[in-house]
Amino acid sequence: MIKRIVVLGLGRIGSSIAGILAADKNYQVLGADINPAAVQEHGDFFPCRLITNHDYSSLLKDQDAVISALSFNDNPYVAQAALESGCSYFDLTEDVRCTEAIKTIARQAVKGQVFMPQCGLAPGFIGILAYSFAQKFEQLDSLKLRVGALPEFPSNQMMYNLTWNTEGLVNEYANPCEAIKNNKITLIEPLEGREEFSVSGVTYEAFNTSGGLANLCQTLDGKVRELTYKTIRYPGHCSLMRFLFNDLRLGEEGDRRRMLMDILESSVATTSQDLVLISVVATGYAGQKLQQRSRTFLLHHTIDQSAIQIATATAAVTTVDLMLHSKVLRTGFVEQEVLDIESFLNNEFAKSYREAELGICNPI
């Protein structure tokens, strides 16, 4: 049965999502954007409409689902329109407050209508991957989630180029970070907890950032001693960010944060020559022995698409496909971790992830 999908926001990620789905005979896609140029650019590949006055309801009539690739500020309005239209809702947000608002809206869902925010890369795929380890240990001890979208050829002192949404980047660096420490859900400071590690001979650093855990803290409350999420960068980046966010206080909400976004967007070059590194390291007890297991994925850009486009769009499309074709009827707010990692990786849309895994996963 053909599924009718609306993709809101035709930027790099949204247009990739719409393009993947439109190429599949099982989906009928309608794209929409507030920018006439974006609508015109993609209109030859799938039907597109212009969004006027934030009129989402008319776009969602008689649709099976909506995928919002808009700013997190717009997502609660889209979710409300989805509720009223009776279609399921998906988004890519990393913003915690936005997700809380959507959880509230989801309580009014009708039977079979799901609300699944945060279903891109991180949050999203990383949560599905991390939760899979909870099923394999008799007793889980720690989960360390690490994700980074990095330039392949860094050339500035920051060792970084802009590869995705600047507002989302600043939020990650500035907002409090959820974690589980000593078996208790807590908030920890962003840009702290710096560590170094190596993958395939390359040294990276990682530090606390906000939003990557989605609902994992609540799901694993009482089931794990330590749960942390950190962003991966090249060494030296964290120190410079601490100077901007802490010493110059440019992470404060309001005008100072907007000033920082203006500085970054006007001074830091964008790039599509990037890579995405994903790592989960888990420790736990199997029998009486404390053991460690990990899985690592490294996605590269192509001629046509950046690695962050591929990773985020592929994760979102795979998630939507699994949810819309699930034999389990779900209603209301749904966490990513309900999805089985092997079902995810074996999905036809997840080829990029299957090909990106480093090493061999040895089952416990």
Side-chain angles (χ1 to χ4, degrees):
M1 184 176 179
I2 294 177
K3 299 294 185 180
R4 296 159 299 179
I5 306 286
V6 175
V7 179
L8 298 179
L10 298 176
R12 289 192 298 168
I13 305 299
S15 61
S16 295
I17 291 171
I20 293 170
L21 289 172
D24 189 281
K25 66 181 186 304
N26 295 309
Y27 288 93
Q28 179 179 304
V29 176
L30 173 63
D33 200 285
I34 60 172
N35 184 354
V39 171
Q40 183 175 7
E41 178 184 354
H42 301 291
D44 291 338
F45 303 99
F46 44 82
C48 292
R49 285 177 53 187
L50 188 66
I51 301 172
T52 56
N53 299 320
H54 301 283
D55 180 18
Y56 306 119
S57 296
S58 64
L59 292 168
L60 305 188
K61 185 179 179 182
D62 299 324
Q63 299 292 323
D64 292 300
V66 58
I67 305 173
S68 176
L70 300 173
S71 162
F72 61 82
N73 294 310
D74 296 309
N75 285 340
Y77 302 105
V78 178
Q80 183 64 40
L83 176 71
E84 295 166 1
S85 301
C87 70
S88 291
Y89 169 90
F90 302 86
D91 74 31
L92 312 172
T93 187
E94 78 293 330
D95 188 76
V96 176
R97 285 176 290 190
C98 171
T99 297
E100 290 303 315
I102 292 166
K103 281 184 181 180
T104 300
I105 293 169
R107 293 175 189 149
Q108 305 171 64
V110 298
K111 187 175 181 180
Q113 183 184 27
V114 301
F115 288 77
M116 196 174 192
Q118 303 180 306
C119 60
L121 166 61
F125 172 75
I126 188 66
I128 301 169
L129 177 63
Y131 189 69
S132 69
F133 286 96
Q135 319 301 313
K136 297 177 181 179
F137 290 100
E138 294 172 18
Q139 180 185 342
L140 188 61
D141 181 66
S142 69
L143 272 174
K144 298 180 179 180
L145 287 62
R146 310 293 185 255
V147 178
L150 302 158
E152 188 171 13
F153 309 108
S155 60
N156 55 31
Q157 193 168 346
M158 290 171 57
M159 297 293 286
Y160 187 71
N161 292 96
L162 296 176
T163 61
W164 63 293
N165 179 271
T166 308
E167 187 175 15
L169 176 73
V170 171
N171 273 1
E172 283 193 357
Y173 285 7
N175 293 342
C177 314
E178 279 195 312
I180 294 178
K181 293 284 188 178
N182 298 318
N183 301 294
K184 294 183 179 179
I185 297 177
T186 186
L187 290 176
I188 55 179
E189 288 297 309
L191 302 176
E192 299 298 328
R194 182 186 177 277
E195 63 192 27
E196 285 195 0
F197 65 98
S198 297
V199 174
S200 301
V202 179
T203 300
Y204 302 94
E205 67 178 17
F207 47 87
N208 301 337
T209 53
S210 174
L213 288 178
N215 206 59
L216 268 183
C217 282
Q218 289 68 39
T219 301
L220 292 176
D221 187 18
K223 300 176 182 178
V224 65
R225 179 184 59 83
E226 179 179 304
L227 170 64
T228 56
Y229 173 88
K230 298 183 181 183
T231 285
I232 300 169
R233 294 288 184 257
Y234 296 115
H237 181 83
C238 183
S239 177
L240 291 174
M241 293 303 101
R242 285 176 181 167
F243 172 71
L244 292 175
F245 282 78
N246 299 338
D247 294 353
L248 298 185
R249 296 168 36 214
L250 293 178
E252 294 180 1
E253 291 197 62
D255 291 342
R256 299 183 75 84
R257 195 175 291 194
R258 285 190 289 273
M259 181 193 307
L260 177 57
M261 287 189 284
D262 288 341
I263 291 171
L264 292 175
E265 290 181 345
S266 63
S267 304
V268 180
T270 63
T271 186
S272 58
Q273 294 176 300
D274 63 340
L275 56 87
V276 169
L277 179 60
I278 305 161
S279 172
V280 172
V281 178
T283 61
Y285 290 90
Q288 299 299 313
K289 297 182 68 174
L290 182 65
Q291 299 186 12
Q292 176 178 298
R293 293 289 185 272
S294 65
R295 295 183 81 165
T296 301
F297 297 77
L298 182 61
L299 289 85
H300 292 274
H301 65 88
T302 65
I303 294 175
D304 301 319
Q305 289 190 309
S306 67
I308 190 64
Q309 276 180 281
I310 295 167
T312 306
T314 298
V317 169
T318 303
T319 298
V320 171
D321 187 64
L322 289 171
M323 288 301 300
L324 294 184
H325 293 92
S326 173
K327 295 180 181 178
V328 179
L329 182 66
R330 303 183 189 277
T331 298
F333 180 79
V334 179
E335 305 89 348
Q336 295 90 355
E337 51 266 27
V338 304
L339 298 178
D340 173 70
I341 186 61
E342 299 310 326
S343 296
F344 183 101
L345 292 173
N346 289 324
N347 184 276
E348 62 178 311
F349 293 114
K351 181 181 177 182
S352 297
Y353 278 94
R354 289 195 299 274
E355 295 177 345
E357 185 162 13
L358 303 179
I360 299 173
C361 178
N362 296 312
I364 295 172

